[in-house]
Amino acid sequence: MIRILHIITTLEHGGAEKNLISISSNLDKNEFNQSIISLTTSSKKYSDIAELNNVQLINLNINNFITALVGIYKICKFLNQYKPHIVQTWLYHADILGLIIKILYKKYKVIWNIRCSHLAVSDISYTTRIIRYILSVRSQKVDGIIFNSKAGLVEHRKLGMFNENSHIIPNGFNLEEFKADKKIREKIREGLQINQDVFVCGMVARYDPLKNHDHFIRAAALLNKIYGKKIIFLLIGVNINWNNKKLVNSINHENLKDKFHLLGQRNDINDILKIIDCLVLTSITEGFPNVIGEAMASEVPCVSTCVGDVVSIMGNRKNIIKINDVADLVSKVNDIINLSTDEKLELGVNLRKRIENNFSIVSTMKKYRMMYSNV
């Protein structure tokens, strides 16, 4: 049996976290024994999933220099006890730790998992820039690198990050978890006091300048002028609430307070997607945005900026828009609104079929299994 130790910066909410939990839950337990170390904390949801799947989860709660030293001691102690065949690290800060482990414990196979593609210096901290530089110049020291997007691999190679055992393994989606369901759709809409026949245009993203919520809000203002009571707007994610002054000011500036539902961070995204009629992504940068695949699996049409591997996920450029092009976004959403009932049903079936054929959790697990078995 192959023992794998996953080390991740945090196991709260995010694409990398979701992907790690999915892998640790779905890989064959007769073939792989997996443990997870979170350098900081873990959400209750992911802690419960790990426990349910007999995956040992350790939270180091590192938040200062002293706790960092204690955390390093605990990692070394666990390595000596668990004796993993593979150490899989996730995200830059954990990857630098993986490099240190490889230097100190040459017998362990170390694989990095790189999740981002946007590399603009202005958008990352000085510490992260230093870590990224070290990772790039020492990338041949580790036993392999997994990128979750082609965009991520290309951009990191420009920085000099090269390893002969590099692979692109896209995120996989659980088709049982993400699917259309009319009864759940009606129930959640009723709970949120949203009329069943209203068109819901939604965006799932934490509040962050790189997610570019203002683009969505400006487009919402124009769509509201066209459709009035026939359309509402939904925002979901970390720091998406009425206490967020910047976000609320942007909404109020367009006189849209009564047209927006701010749902904050949710653990039931799979159900929330069922009430959305069009999923919008206005990001300035992405690697492999999970929400696009999740929406498509749920038969929800998507409109997105051309970032990361979005075109690869969606399969064409029909609903791809330019960053900050409000008119283009309005036009694409308008096209979806004006589809006939039969056209919407056919589109939904085709969207789900694309995810099933290209990005299912089953195909992703096969690629991870091959990587772990052959490293």
Side-chain angles (χ1 to χ4, degrees):
M1 182 177 288
I2 298 174
R3 291 186 299 278
I4 303 173
L5 172 60
H6 298 277
I7 302 177
I8 190 166
T9 308
T10 178
L11 200 60
E12 290 291 341
H13 298 275
E17 295 86 339
K18 183 181 292 186
N19 202 234
L20 168 53
I21 282 294
S22 182
I23 290 166
S24 61
S25 302
N26 286 283
L27 277 177
D28 188 346
K29 292 172 179 57
N30 293 318
E31 191 174 358
F32 299 96
N33 179 284
Q34 300 179 85
S35 294
I36 301 173
I37 290 179
S38 169
L39 299 182
T40 52
T41 57
S42 301
S43 69
K44 184 180 185 304
K45 176 182 178 180
Y46 291 154
S47 298
D48 290 345
I49 294 174
E51 183 179 0
L52 183 65
N53 287 278
N54 295 316
V55 175
Q56 184 176 7
L57 172 60
I58 300 170
N59 295 308
L60 298 182
N61 299 303
I62 295 174
N63 55 23
N64 57 45
F65 181 72
I66 300 299
T67 54
L69 291 178
V70 174
I72 291 171
Y73 168 76
K74 289 181 178 179
I75 290 172
C76 292
K77 184 178 180 180
F78 188 77
L79 283 169
N80 291 326
Q81 292 174 343
Y82 186 58
K83 294 181 171 58
H85 298 98
I86 297 169
V87 177
Q88 166 84 77
T89 56
W90 299 69
L91 307 174
Y92 282 159
H93 291 76
D95 290 337
I96 198 74
L97 182 57
L99 177 61
I100 295 171
I101 289 172
K102 185 61 184 178
I103 293 171
L104 296 178
Y105 300 88
K106 291 183 173 59
K107 60 183 177 180
Y108 298 138
K109 302 290 186 179
V110 174
I111 302 173
W112 291 342
N113 203 308
I114 304 292
R115 313 292 299 179
C116 64
S117 64
H118 183 70
L119 305 175
V121 172
S122 59
D123 294 322
I124 59 176
S125 68
Y126 179 75
T127 302
T128 301
R129 274 179 265 166
I130 295 297
I131 290 174
R132 190 179 66 182
Y133 172 76
I134 295 172
L135 293 176
S136 297
V137 299
R138 306 296 285 179
S139 55
Q140 294 189 45
K141 288 291 183 181
V142 293
D143 300 282
I145 304 176
I146 294 172
F147 296 88
N148 76 324
S149 68
K150 182 179 179 180
L153 183 147
V154 170
E155 291 301 318
H156 281 85
R157 283 200 169 167
K158 290 178 183 177
L159 289 175
M161 184 178 289
F162 180 82
N163 185 291
E164 290 183 356
N165 192 26
S166 293
H167 297 272
I168 299 171
I169 304 181
N171 300 342
F173 303 98
N174 186 332
L175 294 169
E176 286 302 310
E177 181 181 4
F178 293 96
K179 58 184 178 181
D181 189 308
K182 186 177 180 181
K183 289 184 178 179
I184 293 177
R185 173 186 171 94
E186 291 175 351
K187 182 179 179 180
I188 293 180
R189 281 198 172 210
E190 184 178 343
L192 294 174
Q193 297 182 326
I194 298 173
N195 291 336
Q196 300 297 335
D197 58 348
V198 166
F199 188 91
V200 176
C201 188
M203 179 169 161
V204 180
R206 70 182 185 277
Y207 189 75
D208 185 298
L210 295 178
K211 301 301 181 181
N212 203 11
H213 285 82
D214 282 350
H215 183 184
F216 180 89
I217 294 168
R218 293 197 304 273
L222 294 180
L223 287 165
N224 186 56
K225 289 180 180 178
I226 300 170
Y227 295 102
K229 294 181 180 180
K230 296 179 180 179
I231 191 170
I232 67 159
F233 307 96
L234 209 63
L235 293 179
I236 307 101
V238 177
N239 292 327
I240 299 294
N241 55 62
W242 294 106
N243 293 321
N244 184 330
K245 291 183 179 179
K246 286 186 177 180
L247 175 61
V248 173
N249 286 341
S250 296
I251 293 172
N252 288 340
H253 183 263
E254 302 292 348
N255 296 314
L256 292 174
K257 185 175 182 180
D258 295 335
K259 300 305 298 279
F260 268 83
H261 287 255
L262 307 184
L263 301 188
Q265 183 174 295
R266 303 278 300 212
N267 291 325
D268 58 345
I269 294 299
N270 57 322
D271 286 337
I272 291 297
L273 286 171
K274 293 174 175 58
I275 74 170
I276 294 176
D277 297 298
C278 175
L279 189 283
V280 173
L281 187 70
T282 54
S283 296
I284 295 171
T285 177
E286 291 285 349
F288 188 103
N290 278 333
V291 70
I292 294 292
E294 292 167 350
M296 290 172 65
S298 304
E299 302 184 25
V300 178
C302 302
V303 177
S304 174
T305 46
C306 188
V307 288
D309 279 14
V310 165
V311 174
S312 174
I313 302 169
M314 294 174 68
N316 57 60
R317 293 178 173 270
K318 183 177 180 181
N319 284 334
I320 297 296
I321 59 174
K322 296 178 181 177
I323 294 171
N324 287 322
D325 191 331
V326 174
D328 198 14
L329 174 52
V330 170
S331 175
K332 294 294 193 296
V333 174
N334 189 60
D335 289 344
I336 292 171
I337 292 174
N338 289 316
L339 291 174
S340 68
T341 300
D342 288 343
E343 287 173 330
K344 288 177 182 177
L345 289 172
E346 182 181 1
L347 175 59
V349 170
N350 290 335
L351 292 173
R352 181 174 173 82
K353 190 176 294 183
R354 175 160 182 80
I355 298 302
E356 183 177 4
N357 291 340
N358 297 279
F359 302 103
S360 72
I361 190 65
V362 175
S363 63
T364 296
M365 288 306 104
K366 287 180 180 178
K367 292 173 182 176
Y368 269 96
R369 179 186 177 279
M370 186 175 297
M371 181 77 175
Y372 292 150
S373 299
N374 297 329
V375 69

